[in-house]
Amino acid sequence: MLQASRGTVKAGTNFNAGADAEVLHKAMKGLGTDEDAILQLLTARSNAQRQGIKDTYKTLFGKDLIDDLKGELGGKFESLIVALMTPPIAYDVTCLRNAIKGAGTDEKVLVEILASRTPQQVKDIIAAYRQEYDDDLEEDVCGDTSGHFKRLLVILLQVNMIFSSLSVKGEKCNVMFWILKFPITVRVILNLCVPVFDAYMKMTGYEMEESIQRETSGNLSALLLAVVKCARSVPAYFAETLYYAMKGAGTDDDTLIRVMVSRSEVDLLDIRSHFRRLFACSLHSMIRGDTGGDYRKALLLLCGGDDA
């Protein structure tokens, strides 16, 4: 049985791709752009429906919808809308590619995506990355990172592939087999689960996160912490990620967009709940106070409500 989505964005009822394509075309036709019509429509459609709108737009008007949106919009609002128009796996692939091939390496993106995605998603990302760029994701990661941080990223890629292939074959995953088969660093990753954390706490008197922060630093520490936090609760991990993207001077808009878009159909309701429990405000109120204009309007629609 499929698990019900805990996302804030659901498929629009009485969906008509042709009618939606007409609305978008009208919003961008002539002088001026009706940004409100664009954001109201696209935040009320699932990603699958947006792909249908994009295909129908091409058929009706002979133009690429994303190109037209890029030509009419700008700044952070444009980035958000283009992200919404991108299929989820393709969006992860694009984010990873930009993180690796851009000016410098954006380690934060590598950590966030590889620590939080399911084994099947990682398998799909690896395949889509090869198809899109004719490159091997593991090789690109190795070429752009170093040391224990690189080794753990590769472990995450390889371990996820192992578990995904077992799942596809319908075999029962014998964790102990893999723990014994691989070296100690892999065993740590494979054996991460809440009972292990509890046992570690009883044995040492420290939470796993405390030990990681005491004994490691930099990107390695960030990656280990992300893996542990995601093992405990993916929504709580993303609630914290969103909070620190907006806390203090300046906003990490790339992270804000990436998380709000990628989790909007997955678990954003749970992220909102954890956010309100962990911090002294709601996600909605923090977005409202930290952003502006059409960008803010679209983010608040994705957020889907205030938990104040």
Side-chain angles (χ1 to χ4, degrees), residues 269-297:
L269 286 171
D270 295 326
I271 291 169
R272 275 172 41 187
S273 176
H274 281 282
F275 194 101
R276 189 67 187 87
R277 182 175 57 81
L278 290 169
F279 308 109
C281 61
S282 66
L283 176 58
H284 190 279
S285 65
M286 198 163 188
I287 291 171
R288 189 174 62 240
D290 219 57
T291 59
D294 295 314
Y295 177 54
R296 174 170 62 187
K297 289 181 189 176

PDB file of all heavy atoms in Angstrom, residues 269-297:
ATOM      1  N   LEU A 269       4.496  19.030   5.507  1.00  0.00           N
ATOM      2  CA  LEU A 269       3.615  19.144   6.667  1.00  0.00           C
ATOM      3  C   LEU A 269       4.334  18.705   7.942  1.00  0.00           C
ATOM      4  O   LEU A 269       4.215  19.350   8.994  1.00  0.00           O
ATOM      5  CB  LEU A 269       2.354  18.291   6.473  1.00  0.00           C
ATOM      6  CG  LEU A 269       1.319  18.826   5.476  1.00  0.00           C
ATOM      7  CD1 LEU A 269       0.244  17.755   5.228  1.00  0.00           C
ATOM      8  CD2 LEU A 269       0.680  20.112   5.967  1.00  0.00           C
ATOM      9  N   ASP A 270       5.098  17.618   7.850  1.00  0.00           N
ATOM     10  CA  ASP A 270       5.866  17.142   9.007  1.00  0.00           C
ATOM     11  C   ASP A 270       7.023  18.088   9.327  1.00  0.00           C
ATOM     12  O   ASP A 270       7.343  18.309  10.502  1.00  0.00           O
ATOM     13  CB  ASP A 270       6.405  15.737   8.745  1.00  0.00           C
ATOM     14  CG  ASP A 270       5.295  14.706   8.612  1.00  0.00           C
ATOM     15  OD1 ASP A 270       4.274  14.852   9.308  1.00  0.00           O
ATOM     16  OD2 ASP A 270       5.440  13.771   7.803  1.00  0.00           O
ATOM     17  N   ILE A 271       7.640  18.640   8.300  1.00  0.00           N
ATOM     18  CA  ILE A 271       8.716  19.617   8.508  1.00  0.00           C
ATOM     19  C   ILE A 271       8.179  20.830   9.263  1.00  0.00           C
ATOM     20  O   ILE A 271       8.804  21.318  10.209  1.00  0.00           O
ATOM     21  CB  ILE A 271       9.335  20.033   7.159  1.00  0.00           C
ATOM     22  CG1 ILE A 271      10.106  18.860   6.548  1.00  0.00           C
ATOM     23  CG2 ILE A 271      10.261  21.239   7.331  1.00  0.00           C
ATOM     24  CD1 ILE A 271      10.538  19.073   5.110  1.00  0.00           C
ATOM     25  N   ARG A 272       7.002  21.309   8.858  1.00  0.00           N
ATOM     26  CA  ARG A 272       6.364  22.430   9.551  1.00  0.00           C
ATOM     27  C   ARG A 272       6.124  22.107  11.028  1.00  0.00           C
ATOM     28  O   ARG A 272       6.373  22.926  11.914  1.00  0.00           O
ATOM     29  CB  ARG A 272       5.029  22.762   8.885  1.00  0.00           C
ATOM     30  CG  ARG A 272       5.130  23.694   7.705  1.00  0.00           C
ATOM     31  CD  ARG A 272       3.811  23.836   6.968  1.00  0.00           C
ATOM     32  NE  ARG A 272       2.656  23.922   7.836  1.00  0.00           N
ATOM     33  CZ  ARG A 272       1.393  23.912   7.410  1.00  0.00           C
ATOM     34  NH1 ARG A 272       1.131  23.819   6.114  1.00  0.00           N
ATOM     35  NH2 ARG A 272       0.401  23.997   8.262  1.00  0.00           N
ATOM     36  N   SER A 273       5.657  20.906  11.289  1.00  0.00           N
ATOM     37  CA  SER A 273       5.370  20.493  12.659  1.00  0.00           C
ATOM     38  C   SER A 273       6.644  20.459  13.505  1.00  0.00           C
ATOM     39  O   SER A 273       6.670  20.958  14.641  1.00  0.00           O
ATOM     40  CB  SER A 273       4.703  19.114  12.639  1.00  0.00           C
ATOM     41  OG  SER A 273       4.498  18.640  13.938  1.00  0.00           O
ATOM     42  N   HIS A 274       7.705  19.881  12.957  1.00  0.00           N
ATOM     43  CA  HIS A 274       8.984  19.838  13.678  1.00  0.00           C
ATOM     44  C   HIS A 274       9.554  21.248  13.856  1.00  0.00           C
ATOM     45  O   HIS A 274      10.127  21.555  14.912  1.00  0.00           O
ATOM     46  CB  HIS A 274       9.986  18.966  12.917  1.00  0.00           C
ATOM     47  CG  HIS A 274       9.780  17.502  13.122  1.00  0.00           C
ATOM     48  ND1 HIS A 274      10.180  16.836  14.259  1.00  0.00           N
ATOM     49  CD2 HIS A 274       9.203  16.563  12.324  1.00  0.00           C
ATOM     50  CE1 HIS A 274       9.873  15.553  14.163  1.00  0.00           C
ATOM     51  NE2 HIS A 274       9.275  15.361  12.993  1.00  0.00           N
ATOM     52  N   PHE A 275       9.405  22.081  12.850  1.00  0.00           N
ATOM     53  CA  PHE A 275       9.910  23.458  12.916  1.00  0.00           C
ATOM     54  C   PHE A 275       9.271  24.191  14.097  1.00  0.00           C
ATOM     55  O   PHE A 275       9.966  24.834  14.891  1.00  0.00           O
ATOM     56  CB  PHE A 275       9.590  24.185  11.603  1.00  0.00           C
ATOM     57  CG  PHE A 275      10.338  25.473  11.405  1.00  0.00           C
ATOM     58  CD1 PHE A 275      11.450  25.514  10.580  1.00  0.00           C
ATOM     59  CD2 PHE A 275       9.931  26.649  12.024  1.00  0.00           C
ATOM     60  CE1 PHE A 275      12.157  26.702  10.386  1.00  0.00           C
ATOM     61  CE2 PHE A 275      10.623  27.835  11.843  1.00  0.00           C
ATOM     62  CZ  PHE A 275      11.743  27.866  11.019  1.00  0.00           C
ATOM     63  N   ARG A 276       7.955  24.063  14.218  1.00  0.00           N
ATOM     64  CA  ARG A 276       7.237  24.762  15.299  1.00  0.00           C
ATOM     65  C   ARG A 276       7.639  24.218  16.664  1.00  0.00           C
ATOM     66  O   ARG A 276       7.708  24.967  17.651  1.00  0.00           O
ATOM     67  CB  ARG A 276       5.715  24.596  15.107  1.00  0.00           C
ATOM     68  CG  ARG A 276       4.892  25.462  16.050  1.00  0.00           C
ATOM     69  CD  ARG A 276       5.072  26.929  15.717  1.00  0.00           C
ATOM     70  NE  ARG A 276       4.444  27.817  16.686  1.00  0.00           N
ATOM     71  CZ  ARG A 276       5.028  28.253  17.792  1.00  0.00           C
ATOM     72  NH1 ARG A 276       6.254  27.856  18.103  1.00  0.00           N
ATOM     73  NH2 ARG A 276       4.401  29.086  18.609  1.00  0.00           N
ATOM     74  N   ARG A 277       7.923  22.923  16.717  1.00  0.00           N
ATOM     75  CA  ARG A 277       8.308  22.313  17.992  1.00  0.00           C
ATOM     76  C   ARG A 277       9.735  22.684  18.395  1.00  0.00           C
ATOM     77  O   ARG A 277      10.021  22.891  19.582  1.00  0.00           O
ATOM     78  CB  ARG A 277       8.177  20.788  17.890  1.00  0.00           C
ATOM     79  CG  ARG A 277       8.515  20.044  19.169  1.00  0.00           C
ATOM     80  CD  ARG A 277       8.237  18.557  19.036  1.00  0.00           C
ATOM     81  NE  ARG A 277       8.951  17.959  17.924  1.00  0.00           N
ATOM     82  CZ  ARG A 277      10.243  17.589  17.972  1.00  0.00           C
ATOM     83  NH1 ARG A 277      10.954  17.789  19.071  1.00  0.00           N
ATOM     84  NH2 ARG A 277      10.817  17.034  16.923  1.00  0.00           N
ATOM     85  N   LEU A 278      10.616  22.798  17.413  1.00  0.00           N
ATOM     86  CA  LEU A 278      12.033  23.028  17.699  1.00  0.00           C
ATOM     87  C   LEU A 278      12.375  24.498  17.922  1.00  0.00           C
ATOM     88  O   LEU A 278      13.308  24.818  18.666  1.00  0.00           O
ATOM     89  CB  LEU A 278      12.891  22.502  16.531  1.00  0.00           C
ATOM     90  CG  LEU A 278      12.951  20.991  16.349  1.00  0.00           C
ATOM     91  CD1 LEU A 278      13.594  20.640  15.013  1.00  0.00           C
ATOM     92  CD2 LEU A 278      13.716  20.343  17.499  1.00  0.00           C
ATOM     93  N   PHE A 279      11.618  25.387  17.275  1.00  0.00           N
ATOM     94  CA  PHE A 279      11.980  26.800  17.304  1.00  0.00           C
ATOM     95  C   PHE A 279      10.812  27.660  17.802  1.00  0.00           C
ATOM     96  O   PHE A 279       9.678  27.201  17.855  1.00  0.00           O
ATOM     97  CB  PHE A 279      12.443  27.246  15.917  1.00  0.00           C
ATOM     98  CG  PHE A 279      13.518  26.361  15.342  1.00  0.00           C
ATOM     99  CD1 PHE A 279      13.239  25.506  14.275  1.00  0.00           C
ATOM    100  CD2 PHE A 279      14.783  26.330  15.900  1.00  0.00           C
ATOM    101  CE1 PHE A 279      14.213  24.672  13.761  1.00  0.00           C
ATOM    102  CE2 PHE A 279      15.765  25.486  15.395  1.00  0.00           C
ATOM    103  CZ  PHE A 279      15.484  24.654  14.321  1.00  0.00           C
ATOM    104  N   ALA A 280      11.118  28.897  18.133  1.00  0.00           N
ATOM    105  CA  ALA A 280      10.113  29.762  18.776  1.00  0.00           C
ATOM    106  C   ALA A 280       9.230  30.496  17.769  1.00  0.00           C
ATOM    107  O   ALA A 280       8.752  31.591  18.039  1.00  0.00           O
ATOM    108  CB  ALA A 280      10.818  30.770  19.680  1.00  0.00           C
ATOM    109  N   CYS A 281       9.025  29.908  16.604  1.00  0.00           N
ATOM    110  CA  CYS A 281       8.173  30.518  15.586  1.00  0.00           C
ATOM    111  C   CYS A 281       7.747  29.432  14.605  1.00  0.00           C
ATOM    112  O   CYS A 281       8.236  28.311  14.652  1.00  0.00           O
ATOM    113  CB  CYS A 281       8.911  31.638  14.856  1.00  0.00           C
ATOM    114  SG  CYS A 281      10.406  31.077  13.990  1.00  0.00           S
ATOM    115  N   SER A 282       6.828  29.780  13.712  1.00  0.00           N
ATOM    116  CA  SER A 282       6.409  28.838  12.683  1.00  0.00           C
ATOM    117  C   SER A 282       7.253  29.036  11.427  1.00  0.00           C
ATOM    118  O   SER A 282       7.845  30.105  11.227  1.00  0.00           O
ATOM    119  CB  SER A 282       4.932  29.045  12.338  1.00  0.00           C
ATOM    120  OG  SER A 282       4.742  30.312  11.727  1.00  0.00           O
ATOM    121  N   LEU A 283       7.300  28.025  10.582  1.00  0.00           N
ATOM    122  CA  LEU A 283       8.002  28.151   9.302  1.00  0.00           C
ATOM    123  C   LEU A 283       7.378  29.272   8.477  1.00  0.00           C
ATOM    124  O   LEU A 283       8.090  30.082   7.861  1.00  0.00           O
ATOM    125  CB  LEU A 283       7.938  26.817   8.543  1.00  0.00           C
ATOM    126  CG  LEU A 283       8.551  26.796   7.142  1.00  0.00           C
ATOM    127  CD1 LEU A 283      10.028  27.189   7.170  1.00  0.00           C
ATOM    128  CD2 LEU A 283       8.379  25.415   6.494  1.00  0.00           C
ATOM    129  N   HIS A 284       6.054  29.333   8.463  1.00  0.00           N
ATOM    130  CA  HIS A 284       5.329  30.356   7.705  1.00  0.00           C
ATOM    131  C   HIS A 284       5.750  31.759   8.143  1.00  0.00           C
ATOM    132  O   HIS A 284       6.054  32.625   7.304  1.00  0.00           O
ATOM    133  CB  HIS A 284       3.823  30.154   7.913  1.00  0.00           C
ATOM    134  CG  HIS A 284       2.951  30.980   7.028  1.00  0.00           C
ATOM    135  ND1 HIS A 284       2.649  32.298   7.293  1.00  0.00           N
ATOM    136  CD2 HIS A 284       2.300  30.671   5.873  1.00  0.00           C
ATOM    137  CE1 HIS A 284       1.851  32.771   6.354  1.00  0.00           C
ATOM    138  NE2 HIS A 284       1.634  31.809   5.477  1.00  0.00           N
ATOM    139  N   SER A 285       5.794  31.988   9.450  1.00  0.00           N
ATOM    140  CA  SER A 285       6.125  33.331   9.948  1.00  0.00           C
ATOM    141  C   SER A 285       7.577  33.696   9.658  1.00  0.00           C
ATOM    142  O   SER A 285       7.895  34.856   9.392  1.00  0.00           O
ATOM    143  CB  SER A 285       5.845  33.431  11.452  1.00  0.00           C
ATOM    144  OG  SER A 285       6.703  32.574  12.187  1.00  0.00           O
ATOM    145  N   MET A 286       8.464  32.713   9.691  1.00  0.00           N
ATOM    146  CA  MET A 286       9.870  33.005   9.422  1.00  0.00           C
ATOM    147  C   MET A 286      10.078  33.332   7.945  1.00  0.00           C
ATOM    148  O   MET A 286      10.842  34.233   7.597  1.00  0.00           O
ATOM    149  CB  MET A 286      10.756  31.839   9.848  1.00  0.00           C
ATOM    150  CG  MET A 286      12.221  32.237   9.991  1.00  0.00           C
ATOM    151  SD  MET A 286      13.180  31.040  10.954  1.00  0.00           S
ATOM    152  CE  MET A 286      14.739  31.938  11.108  1.00  0.00           C
ATOM    153  N   ILE A 287       9.399  32.602   7.057  1.00  0.00           N
ATOM    154  CA  ILE A 287       9.474  32.911   5.627  1.00  0.00           C
ATOM    155  C   ILE A 287       8.903  34.299   5.364  1.00  0.00           C
ATOM    156  O   ILE A 287       9.483  35.103   4.613  1.00  0.00           O
ATOM    157  CB  ILE A 287       8.708  31.857   4.798  1.00  0.00           C
ATOM    158  CG1 ILE A 287       9.425  30.509   4.829  1.00  0.00           C
ATOM    159  CG2 ILE A 287       8.537  32.322   3.348  1.00  0.00           C
ATOM    160  CD1 ILE A 287       8.638  29.364   4.222  1.00  0.00           C
ATOM    161  N   ARG A 288       7.778  34.593   5.989  1.00  0.00           N
ATOM    162  CA  ARG A 288       7.128  35.892   5.791  1.00  0.00           C
ATOM    163  C   ARG A 288       8.032  37.042   6.226  1.00  0.00           C
ATOM    164  O   ARG A 288       8.080  38.088   5.585  1.00  0.00           O
ATOM    165  CB  ARG A 288       5.812  35.941   6.576  1.00  0.00           C
ATOM    166  CG  ARG A 288       4.947  37.165   6.262  1.00  0.00           C
ATOM    167  CD  ARG A 288       3.601  37.098   6.956  1.00  0.00           C
ATOM    168  NE  ARG A 288       3.741  37.073   8.406  1.00  0.00           N
ATOM    169  CZ  ARG A 288       3.296  36.091   9.180  1.00  0.00           C
ATOM    170  NH1 ARG A 288       2.688  35.032   8.655  1.00  0.00           N
ATOM    171  NH2 ARG A 288       3.455  36.145  10.490  1.00  0.00           N
ATOM    172  N   GLY A 289       8.776  36.841   7.304  1.00  0.00           N
ATOM    173  CA  GLY A 289       9.640  37.894   7.803  1.00  0.00           C
ATOM    174  C   GLY A 289      10.988  37.984   7.121  1.00  0.00           C
ATOM    175  O   GLY A 289      11.700  38.986   7.275  1.00  0.00           O
ATOM    176  N   ASP A 290      11.348  36.959   6.349  1.00  0.00           N
ATOM    177  CA  ASP A 290      12.705  36.896   5.797  1.00  0.00           C
ATOM    178  C   ASP A 290      12.758  37.054   4.283  1.00  0.00           C
ATOM    179  O   ASP A 290      13.849  37.102   3.712  1.00  0.00           O
ATOM    180  CB  ASP A 290      13.357  35.556   6.192  1.00  0.00           C
ATOM    181  CG  ASP A 290      14.828  35.717   6.540  1.00  0.00           C
ATOM    182  OD1 ASP A 290      15.124  36.517   7.437  1.00  0.00           O
ATOM    183  OD2 ASP A 290      15.658  35.061   5.903  1.00  0.00           O
ATOM    184  N   THR A 291      11.617  37.090   3.625  1.00  0.00           N
ATOM    185  CA  THR A 291      11.576  37.191   2.157  1.00  0.00           C
ATOM    186  C   THR A 291      10.577  38.274   1.758  1.00  0.00           C
ATOM    187  O   THR A 291       9.900  38.848   2.601  1.00  0.00           O
ATOM    188  CB  THR A 291      11.165  35.845   1.532  1.00  0.00           C
ATOM    189  OG1 THR A 291       9.862  35.477   2.031  1.00  0.00           O
ATOM    190  CG2 THR A 291      12.146  34.735   1.876  1.00  0.00           C
ATOM    191  N   GLY A 292      10.480  38.534   0.450  1.00  0.00           N
ATOM    192  CA  GLY A 292       9.572  39.582   0.012  1.00  0.00           C
ATOM    193  C   GLY A 292       9.045  39.364  -1.396  1.00  0.00           C
ATOM    194  O   GLY A 292       9.519  38.494  -2.129  1.00  0.00           O
ATOM    195  N   GLY A 293       8.046  40.156  -1.770  1.00  0.00           N
ATOM    196  CA  GLY A 293       7.524  40.178  -3.131  1.00  0.00           C
ATOM    197  C   GLY A 293       6.862  38.887  -3.570  1.00  0.00           C
ATOM    198  O   GLY A 293       6.335  38.116  -2.763  1.00  0.00           O
ATOM    199  N   ASP A 294       6.913  38.650  -4.888  1.00  0.00           N
ATOM    200  CA  ASP A 294       6.320  37.435  -5.454  1.00  0.00           C
ATOM    201  C   ASP A 294       7.036  36.179  -4.965  1.00  0.00           C
ATOM    202  O   ASP A 294       6.423  35.114  -4.834  1.00  0.00           O
ATOM    203  CB  ASP A 294       6.360  37.496  -6.986  1.00  0.00           C
ATOM    204  CG  ASP A 294       5.488  38.611  -7.536  1.00  0.00           C
ATOM    205  OD1 ASP A 294       4.341  38.744  -7.078  1.00  0.00           O
ATOM    206  OD2 ASP A 294       5.960  39.355  -8.414  1.00  0.00           O
ATOM    207  N   TYR A 295       8.312  36.317  -4.698  1.00  0.00           N
ATOM    208  CA  TYR A 295       9.107  35.210  -4.138  1.00  0.00           C
ATOM    209  C   TYR A 295       8.503  34.750  -2.812  1.00  0.00           C
ATOM    210  O   TYR A 295       8.277  33.547  -2.587  1.00  0.00           O
ATOM    211  CB  TYR A 295      10.545  35.698  -3.957  1.00  0.00           C
ATOM    212  CG  TYR A 295      11.514  34.735  -3.317  1.00  0.00           C
ATOM    213  CD1 TYR A 295      11.710  33.454  -3.812  1.00  0.00           C
ATOM    214  CD2 TYR A 295      12.292  35.149  -2.218  1.00  0.00           C
ATOM    215  CE1 TYR A 295      12.636  32.599  -3.233  1.00  0.00           C
ATOM    216  CE2 TYR A 295      13.217  34.311  -1.641  1.00  0.00           C
ATOM    217  CZ  TYR A 295      13.386  33.023  -2.148  1.00  0.00           C
ATOM    218  OH  TYR A 295      14.312  32.178  -1.574  1.00  0.00           O
ATOM    219  N   ARG A 296       8.195  35.713  -1.940  1.00  0.00           N
ATOM    220  CA  ARG A 296       7.569  35.381  -0.657  1.00  0.00           C
ATOM    221  C   ARG A 296       6.185  34.765  -0.854  1.00  0.00           C
ATOM    222  O   ARG A 296       5.846  33.769  -0.194  1.00  0.00           O
ATOM    223  CB  ARG A 296       7.463  36.628   0.227  1.00  0.00           C
ATOM    224  CG  ARG A 296       6.693  36.371   1.527  1.00  0.00           C
ATOM    225  CD  ARG A 296       6.789  37.528   2.500  1.00  0.00           C
ATOM    226  NE  ARG A 296       6.217  38.750   1.964  1.00  0.00           N
ATOM    227  CZ  ARG A 296       6.309  39.939   2.570  1.00  0.00           C
ATOM    228  NH1 ARG A 296       6.976  40.051   3.710  1.00  0.00           N
ATOM    229  NH2 ARG A 296       5.761  40.998   2.037  1.00  0.00           N
ATOM    230  N   LYS A 297       5.382  35.345  -1.735  1.00  0.00           N
ATOM    231  CA  LYS A 297       4.036  34.824  -1.987  1.00  0.00           C
ATOM    232  C   LYS A 297       4.086  33.355  -2.397  1.00  0.00           C
ATOM    233  O   LYS A 297       3.309  32.528  -1.897  1.00  0.00           O
ATOM    234  CB  LYS A 297       3.341  35.627  -3.096  1.00  0.00           C
ATOM    235  CG  LYS A 297       2.920  37.021  -2.724  1.00  0.00           C
ATOM    236  CD  LYS A 297       2.228  37.675  -3.928  1.00  0.00           C
ATOM    237  CE  LYS A 297       1.974  39.143  -3.717  1.00  0.00           C
ATOM    238  NZ  LYS A 297       1.392  39.772  -4.931  1.00  0.00           N
TER     239      LYS A 297
END
